[in-house]
């Protein structure tokens, strides 16, 4: 197998995880909307800050869908999860702690809950496959759905 090129199975695996990320983000967004959580000021503030980055959709996509997930995946999955998993030696606890810290990192209660729930999925995908490309596509897909929903 050539390490430089993705095989068809790897492409399928990434596509499945991207779909999981997108559907999870959509489901959480719809649930949060139905329960009124998205109308809370703690949800509206980060959304307003996001849109203030730029009026250009292409810049929002680059920042929110590519740059942010890349940095967060390196920090939370590669460094934090690996550190916790190595020292705790119980993957389930390391996954939950990493997801909790990912949620807290988002600073606002509603965003923290959303971040925690998505963090569980993203961190599990990293644990399961031991490559950053899988959680990265999950995160990109989730952020793309959230951004698309916000822009619409």
């Amino acid at each position: 197998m050539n390490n430089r090129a993705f095989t068809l199975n790897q492409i399928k695996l990434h596509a499945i995880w991207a779909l999981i990320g997108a559907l999870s983000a959509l489901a959480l967004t719809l649930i949060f909307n139905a329960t009124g959580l998205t109308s809370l000021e703690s949800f509206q503030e980060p959304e307003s800050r996001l849109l203030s980055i730029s009026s250009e959709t292409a810049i929002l996509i680059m920042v929110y869908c590519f740059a942010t997930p890349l940095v967060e995946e390196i920090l939370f999955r590669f460094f934090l999860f690996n550190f916790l998993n190595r020292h705790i030696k119980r993957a389930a606890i390391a996954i939950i702690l990493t997801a909790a810290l990912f949620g807290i990192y988002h600073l606002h209660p509603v965003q923290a809950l959303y971040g925690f729930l998505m963090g569980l999925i993203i961190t599990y995908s990293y644990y399961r496959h031991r490559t950053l490309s899988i959680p990265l596509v999950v995160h990109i897909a989730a952020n793309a759905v959230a951004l698309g929903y916000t822009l619409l």
Side-chain angles (χ1 to χ4, degrees), residues 135-146:
L136 185 60
V137 298
V138 175
H139 201 151
I140 289 169
N143 280 17
V145 166

Side-chain angles (χ1 to χ4, degrees), residues 61-111:
I61 291 169
M62 290 302 297
V63 169
Y64 193 67
C65 297
F66 294 102
T68 300
L70 179 61
V71 170
E72 290 177 351
E73 290 315 307
I74 291 169
L75 290 174
F76 285 95
R77 263 45 82 176
F78 185 75
F79 287 116
L80 183 61
F81 173 76
N82 283 335
F83 174 82
L84 292 172
N85 196 37
R86 188 171 42 253
H87 288 84
I88 295 171
K89 299 185 187 328
R90 294 198 56 203
I93 293 172
I95 289 169
I96 292 167
L97 285 174
T98 302
L101 292 170
F102 183 66
I104 291 167
Y105 161 80
H106 287 84
L107 296 178
H108 292 84
V110 176
Q111 294 289 336

